[in-house]
């Protein structure tokens, strides 16, 4: 090859970083953390306002801060980090050079410029339209421009990822098929392309509308297509963070997927069905047929839910098999008790996995059910649910990954390891409590995106039950604790980058080392035997299933008592 | 570390499955089918299904119909704004307007009777959230949504807007009585 570059082999992880890819991963991951910091500060404004006893911000400041919080967290923090993950899963895991590094940098700058334009638009105050910005409610044109520029950048970055897969294949840097983690990242990238194109389809005409070049964008069509962007962007997160779960299980415990066929098959189901989930947001809307709702919101007969349930068994199952192979074989749960709970990389991922499944997964399916949606549509239950999926699921996973990347990629030792050991528990459990009380308040009817639940001064005011006030007070308290947990994370990461002990970078060479396929190992050959290889996990998944069934039917029972509608 | 290495079998789709995974997939699949059947089945056996009867509508024309409706059945007015309280007969067409920032008019329905509720927005998206029973429906401008409602309990209800619709969003609350 004529391309001259260098490859660094990390002495701690054995991973090999190509020079340009390494810089790109660092830049994207670091920018993501900055977005997380901004979003975290804004979160404080949001929870302190929704805490009825505090009620900090004025109405216009609250709606502005809420808009910025949503965008910085859901779009900028996550997608920047995902681009870093894509480069990692392609260039680093396949030990190849990154395709078109210059274009990858252009993508990075476009994304950054777009994010800044969008933030400036929001903070100028004329764009408090929330994440969802439904027409005909209009934001300042620069709001849409920022999003479009960002999306173009992200789309180019996805193209670089696919290009890098081609480079690896052509330059024969590895043997056999791509690793499972790369396969999962590919799923995320495919969903990302679909998502970003949907965004272009709807945000470009809206940008023209804000310039007066287009006369009308249909409000219902906007909602349907917007959600093809809005919900699917969460599906990029799901595919990305599940890939990282597999990666961390491999890195920390040396775990192997129980079956490559099963895990990859589940990712394929995501590609085929996950995007249909965007219809969940249209369930209480007029103008859409029942058949359309049922087909789409069931992700076509729940095949994407099936995929998630498969991962719910195979990720912890893989961990259990690895731990048992290590001798933690006593009883059902010794493997779990003796897991490396003091390692924040592992604990973040495990807390994420359990919370994502129980709190995010179950509630997501419940609220995504055509009729049950009537119970919680637009209540604060919805942000309760998606904080369980994107914060406990994605953000915590990315935090865990960052703990891994600080020494391996940034070559710094984590400062204050005691605090680092504690942080996932503090943040994770505060987030568990936060999402539960939010869902509790939503079940009682409290609205989302609502400045004053007391309706002060309103002649027709409605008084929420006392329990709703209690729940919202707890939302404030648990929210503040979670923000402290997030602040500790930022302190640890930024502190480590600034003051952490410099670590040895390892050998640098001009060529990559060829990546051999994994050796078939003993447990692999015992597959298909009569015994269960991961009985503890099976018990856990049965508990999960029972909780799921119970919660699902409790909601149907409740719905059955309400007014008749037809 | 096989998840980050190429799999030992190049043909990963031929990788054998563990019995445990097979069993879990079968159980999960059955559960998914049950959930699918619930949504379809509720349309036949359940009472709470959102109608899909919808018309494209000009807000001004809708407002005209709503005003004629209110004029015909108003029984009294409430609050300083003199919002009409409208008591329509059973089975009739009932109108509800969502706009910045109120729900208009106040309806007075009877328990166990069925009404055809027509709803739209004059401006932005709004959220019809009936409290305390917590029934939530999206109201989209330009679209007239027609839903047959049958209140099954008497009392005073609030209609809270739960879709962000601008700076006065939190002031947008209406009322509904069931006798």
């Amino acid at each position: 090859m004529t391309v001259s570059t260098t490859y660094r082999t990390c002495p701690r992880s054995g991973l090999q970083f190509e020079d340009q890819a390494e810089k790109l991963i660092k830049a994207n991951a670091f920018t993501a953390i900055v977005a997380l910091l901004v979003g975290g500060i804004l979160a404080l404004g949001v929870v302190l306002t929704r805490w009825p006893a505090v009620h900090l911000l004025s109405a216009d400041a609250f709606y502005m801060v809420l808009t910025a919080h949503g965008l910085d967290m859901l779009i900028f923090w996550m997608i920047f980090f995902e681009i870093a993950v894509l480069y990692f899963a392609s260039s680093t895991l396949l030990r190849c050079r990154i395709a078109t590094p210059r274009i990858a940098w252009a993508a990075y700058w476009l994304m950054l410029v777009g994010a800044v334009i969008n933030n400036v638009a929001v903070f100028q105050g004329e764009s408090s339209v929330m994440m969802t910005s439904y027409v005909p409610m209009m934001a300042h044109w620069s709001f849409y421009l920022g999003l479009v520029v960002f999306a173009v950048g992200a789309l180019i970055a996805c193209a670089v990822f696919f290009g890098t897969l081609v480079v690896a294949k052509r330059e024969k840097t590895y043997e056999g098929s791509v690793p499972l983690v790369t396969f999962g990242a590919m799923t995320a990238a495919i969903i990302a392309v679909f998502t970003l194109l949907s965004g272009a389809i709807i945000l470009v005409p809206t940008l023209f509308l804000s310039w007066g070049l287009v006369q009308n964008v249909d409000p219902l069509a906007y909602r349907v297509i917007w959600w093809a962007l809005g919900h699917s962007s969460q599906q990029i997160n799901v595919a990305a963070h599940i890939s990282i779960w597999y990666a961390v299980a491999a890195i920390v415990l040396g775990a192997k997927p129980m079956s490559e066929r099963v895990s990859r098959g589940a990712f394929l189901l995501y590609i085929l069905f996950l995007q249909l989930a965007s219809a969940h947001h249209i369930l209480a809307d007029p103008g859409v047929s029942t058949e359309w709702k049922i087909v789409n919101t069931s992700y076509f007969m729940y095949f994407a839910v099936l995929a998630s349930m498969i991962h719910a068994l195979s990720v912890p199952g893989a961990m259990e098999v690895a731990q048992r192979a290590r001798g933690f074989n006593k009883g059902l749960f010794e493997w779990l008790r003796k897991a490396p709970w003091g390692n924040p990389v592992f604990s973040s991922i495990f807390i994420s996995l359990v919370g994502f499944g129980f709190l995010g997964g179950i509630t997501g399916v419940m609220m995504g059910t055509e009729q049950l949606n009537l119970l919680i549509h637009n209540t604060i239950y919805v942000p309760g649910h998606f904080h369980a999926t994107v914060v406990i699921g994605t953000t915590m996973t990315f935090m865990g990954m960052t703990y891994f990347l600080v020494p391996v990629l940034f070559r710094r030792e984590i400062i204050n390891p005691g605090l680092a050991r504690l942080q996932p528990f503090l943040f994770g459990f505060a987030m568990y409590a936060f999402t539960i009380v939010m869902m509790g308040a939503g079940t009682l009817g409290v609205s989302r995106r609502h400045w004053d639940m007391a309706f002060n001064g309103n002649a027709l005011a409605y008084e929420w039950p006392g329990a709703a006030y209690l729940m919202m007070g707890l939302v404030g308290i648990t929210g503040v604790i979670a923000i402290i947990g997030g602040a500790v994370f930022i302190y640890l990461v930024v502190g480590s980058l600034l003051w952490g002990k410099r670590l040895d970078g390892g050998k640098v060479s001009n060529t990559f080392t060829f990546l051999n396929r994994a050796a078939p190992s003993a447990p692999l050959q015992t597959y298909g035997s009569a015994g269960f290889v991961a009985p503890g996990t099976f018990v856990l998944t049965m508990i999960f299933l029972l909780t799921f069934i119970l919660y699902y039917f409790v909601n149907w029972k409740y719905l059955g008592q309400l007014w008749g509608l037809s | 570390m096989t998840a980050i290495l190429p799999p030992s079998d190049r043909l990963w789709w031929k990788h054998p499955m563990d019995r445990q995974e097979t069993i879990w997939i079968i159980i999960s699949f059955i559960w998914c089918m049950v959930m699918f059947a619930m949504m379809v089945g509720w349309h036949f056996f359940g009472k709470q299904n959102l109608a899909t009867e919808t018309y494209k509508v000009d807000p001004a024309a809708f407002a005209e119909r709503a005003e004629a409706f209110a004029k015909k059945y108003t029984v009294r007015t409430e609050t300083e704004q003199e919002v009409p309280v409208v008591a329509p007969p059973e089975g009739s067409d009932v109108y509800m307007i969502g706009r910045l920032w109120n729900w208009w008019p106040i309806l007075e329905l009877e328990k166990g009777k069925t009404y055809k509720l027509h709803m739209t927005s004059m401006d932005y998206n709004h959220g019809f959230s009936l409290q305390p029973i917590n029934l939530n429906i999206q109201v989209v401008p330009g679209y007239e949504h027609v839903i047959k409602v049958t209140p099954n309990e008497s009392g005073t209800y609030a209609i809270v807007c739960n879709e962000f619709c601008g700076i006065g969003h939190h002031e947008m609350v209406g009322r509904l009585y069931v006798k």
Side-chain angles (χ1 to χ4, degrees):
Chain A
M1 249 346 266
T2 52
V3 187
S4 73
T5 184
T6 54
Y7 296 84
R8 176 177 74 85
T9 306
C10 166
R12 282 162 298 279
S13 61
L15 293 170
Q16 192 172 296
F17 293 93
E18 189 253 351
D19 187 47
Q20 282 297 327
E22 181 166 21
K23 292 190 178 112
L24 280 160
I25 298 171
K26 278 183 182 170
N28 280 288
F30 184 77
T31 313
I33 305 266
V34 173
L36 180 69
L37 169 66
V38 176
I41 295 168
L42 295 165
L44 202 56
V46 176
V47 293
L48 288 182
T49 307
R50 294 235 57 177
W51 184 349
V54 179
H55 207 53
L56 180 74
L57 298 174
S58 66
D60 52 348
F62 171 73
Y63 292 130
M64 183 176 81
V65 162
L66 187 56
T67 303
H69 170 69
L71 286 157
D72 281 331
M73 292 304 210
L74 287 167
I75 304 286
F76 305 132
W77 144 244
M78 293 197 172
I79 295 189
F80 269 116
F81 202 94
E82 275 150 13
I83 300 302
V85 170
L86 288 187
Y87 294 155
F88 177 84
S90 55
S91 169
T92 307
L93 289 186
L94 296 177
R95 300 189 184 175
C96 68
R97 65 185 174 85
I98 199 150
T100 63
R102 278 196 192 169
I103 296 179
W105 280 110
Y108 169 77
W109 287 109
L110 277 175
M111 287 167 69
L112 184 61
V113 168
V116 170
I117 293 176
N118 181 269
N119 265 283
V120 170
V122 173
F123 286 115
Q124 279 177 340
E126 284 168 59
S127 303
S128 300
V129 291
M130 305 289 137
M131 254 281 285
T132 41
S133 61
Y134 300 129
V135 296
M137 180 187 282
M138 293 302 289
H140 191 261
W141 58 264
S142 57
F143 176 90
Y144 307 106
L145 183 71
L147 288 178
V148 170
V149 170
F150 178 85
V152 170
L155 210 47
I156 294 172
C158 289
V160 173
F161 165 77
F162 290 119
T164 306
L165 295 184
V166 174
V167 166
K169 185 104 200 154
R170 199 181 292 159
E171 295 177 5
K172 299 193 172 57
T173 62
Y174 64 97
E175 183 187 17
S177 306
V178 295
L180 176 61
V181 174
T182 309
F183 192 86
M186 202 165 73
T187 306
I190 291 169
I191 297 174
V193 170
F194 167 85
T195 301
L196 295 164
L197 289 177
S198 308
I201 290 171
I202 203 61
L203 286 172
V204 170
T206 310
L207 175 63
F208 289 165
L209 182 68
S210 70
W211 278 333
L213 296 175
V214 168
Q215 289 312 308
N216 180 42
V217 172
D218 184 84
L220 190 63
Y222 183 93
R223 281 175 58 76
V224 173
I225 305 172
W226 194 92
W227 280 111
L229 158 78
H231 202 104
S232 306
S233 68
Q234 311 321 319
Q235 319 297 7
I236 314 173
N237 303 338
V238 172
H241 78 231
I242 291 178
S243 306
I244 296 180
W245 290 351
Y246 280 111
V248 167
I251 290 165
V252 177
L253 299 173
K256 312 164 179 56
M258 292 171 76
S259 155
E260 293 274 352
R261 169 159 60 168
V262 169
S263 299
R264 289 178 194 234
F267 276 122
L268 280 178
L269 288 176
Y270 277 170
I271 297 178
L272 293 173
F273 302 110
L274 205 56
Q275 286 95 324
L276 304 182
S278 22
H280 286 158
H281 299 265
I282 319 295
L283 286 173
D285 277 38
V288 187
S289 75
T290 300
E291 293 78 8
W292 186 88
K293 286 177 181 174
I294 290 180
V295 166
N296 282 279
T297 61
S298 66
Y299 309 89
F300 191 65
M301 299 201 285
Y302 288 106
F303 280 128
V305 174
L306 180 66
S308 288
M309 289 177 79
I310 291 172
H311 290 305
L313 178 88
S314 27
V315 178
M319 293 176 180
E320 180 172 352
V321 172
Q323 285 283 83
R324 282 183 187 277
R326 223 175 260 181
F328 299 122
N329 234 331
K330 244 185 276 152
L332 276 176
F333 295 114
E334 195 196 20
W335 64 275
L336 193 57
R337 276 202 316 277
K338 297 278 171 71
W341 292 105
N343 180 350
V345 182
F346 174 81
S347 59
S348 296
I349 265 67
F350 208 87
I351 293 169
S352 164
L353 192 152
V354 172
F356 180 79
F358 276 87
L359 300 171
I362 292 175
T363 60
V365 175
M366 190 288 276
M367 65 189 253
T369 303
E370 193 209 352
Q371 296 93 341
L372 296 179
N373 183 266
L374 286 166
L375 296 174
I376 48 81
H377 179 73
N378 274 342
T379 66
I380 202 164
Y381 188 101
V382 179
H385 154 75
F386 74 67
H387 279 78
T389 55
V390 298
V391 183
I392 296 173
T394 310
T395 296
M396 274 213 79
T397 298
F398 289 176
M399 283 177 172
M401 189 67 181
T402 307
Y403 283 121
F404 170 71
L405 290 178
V406 168
V408 166
L409 179 68
F410 291 94
R411 300 175 225 171
R412 296 282 188 158
E413 202 163 85
I414 301 261
I415 53 165
N416 205 336
L419 199 57
R421 211 171 301 145
L422 192 71
Q423 189 274 339
F425 294 92
L426 174 66
F427 182 74
F429 291 130
M431 234 35 228
Y432 277 20
F434 177 71
T435 57
I436 290 170
V437 288
M438 255 177 154
M439 291 184 230
T443 306
L444 295 168
V446 178
S447 314
R448 68 191 295 196
R449 301 167 166 174
H450 200 275
W451 175 65
D452 178 21
M453 69 185 284
F455 305 103
N456 272 319
N458 197 310
L460 295 171
Y462 167 68
E463 192 153 338
W464 300 100
Y469 275 91
L470 174 69
M471 292 286 184
M472 291 311 289
L474 291 172
V475 165
I477 294 166
T478 52
V480 170
I481 299 171
I483 291 166
I484 293 170
V488 171
F489 170 77
I490 300 272
Y491 160 72
L492 287 170
V493 171
V494 177
S496 302
L497 296 187
L498 291 176
W499 314 298
K501 201 178 116 207
R502 268 176 215 279
L503 295 170
D504 170 34
K507 259 201 339 239
V508 176
S509 103
N510 288 325
T511 51
F512 59 84
T513 0
F514 183 74
L515 185 63
N516 288 307
R517 66 178 73 173
S521 48
L524 195 71
Q525 281 135 21
T526 63
Y527 275 164
S529 66
F532 275 21
V533 284
T537 301
F538 197 78
V539 170
L540 292 179
T541 49
M542 290 314 286
I543 294 171
F544 170 73
L545 183 70
L546 288 177
T547 315
F548 196 167
I549 293 173
L550 204 63
Y551 187 69
Y552 185 74
F553 284 113
V554 162
N555 278 285
W556 279 110
K557 181 161 189 315
Y558 178 61
L559 181 78
Q561 293 162 353
L562 299 187
W563 290 15
L565 302 172
S566 62
Chain B
M1 305 213 294
T2 51
I4 58 170
L5 293 178
S8 50
D9 318 291
R10 186 189 162 84
L11 304 178
W12 54 264
W13 56 90
K14 290 190 177 164
H15 196 159
M17 276 161 76
D18 176 53
R19 194 176 132 103
Q20 179 175 349
E21 283 187 306
T22 314
I23 293 173
W24 176 245
I25 291 170
I26 292 168
I27 294 172
S28 302
F29 181 76
I30 293 170
W31 172 234
C32 289
M33 289 303 115
V34 170
M35 292 195 295
F36 185 70
M38 275 306 288
M39 288 199 295
V40 180
W42 201 260
H43 281 275
F44 296 99
F45 307 110
K47 288 204 187 79
Q48 296 76 15
N49 292 289
L50 211 46
T52 53
E53 188 179 345
T54 306
Y55 306 95
K56 276 243 176 195
V57 69
D58 168 41
F62 186 91
E64 220 167 85
R65 273 187 285 152
E67 273 153 29
F69 152 79
K71 209 167 168 190
K72 198 165 167 191
Y73 300 118
T74 295
V75 289
R76 61 178 188 277
T77 60
E78 276 188 13
T79 77
E80 279 172 17
Q81 280 80 41
E82 304 198 331
V83 185
V85 178
V86 184
E90 182 182 6
S92 64
D93 291 291
V94 174
Y95 291 83
M96 169 77 63
I97 289 176
R99 63 188 163 206
L100 303 176
W101 280 289
N102 60 55
W103 295 103
W104 189 94
I106 295 172
L107 297 175
E108 191 169 81
L109 308 177
E110 281 181 60
K111 183 179 155 180
K113 307 230 164 121
T114 301
Y115 304 84
K116 269 181 101 173
L117 176 63
H118 298 243
M119 277 199 295
T120 194
S121 158
M122 295 291 116
D123 32 58
Y124 297 156
N125 272 266
H126 294 292
F128 173 95
S129 176
L130 190 69
Q131 297 301 336
I133 60 168
N134 206 10
L135 260 181
N136 305 282
I137 299 167
Q138 186 81 19
V139 180
V140 182
Y143 288 88
E144 177 179 350
H145 199 178
V146 188
I147 308 152
K148 282 195 197 120
V149 297
T150 316
N152 61 2
E153 213 164 331
S154 49
T156 302
Y157 295 84
I159 303 165
V160 179
C161 177
N162 66 6
E163 181 63 82
F164 175 73
C165 55
I167 188 75
H169 164 50
H170 48 271
E171 287 162 19
M172 184 166 168
V173 49
R175 192 167 285 176
L176 192 150
Y177 296 104
V178 177
K179 278 203 293 193

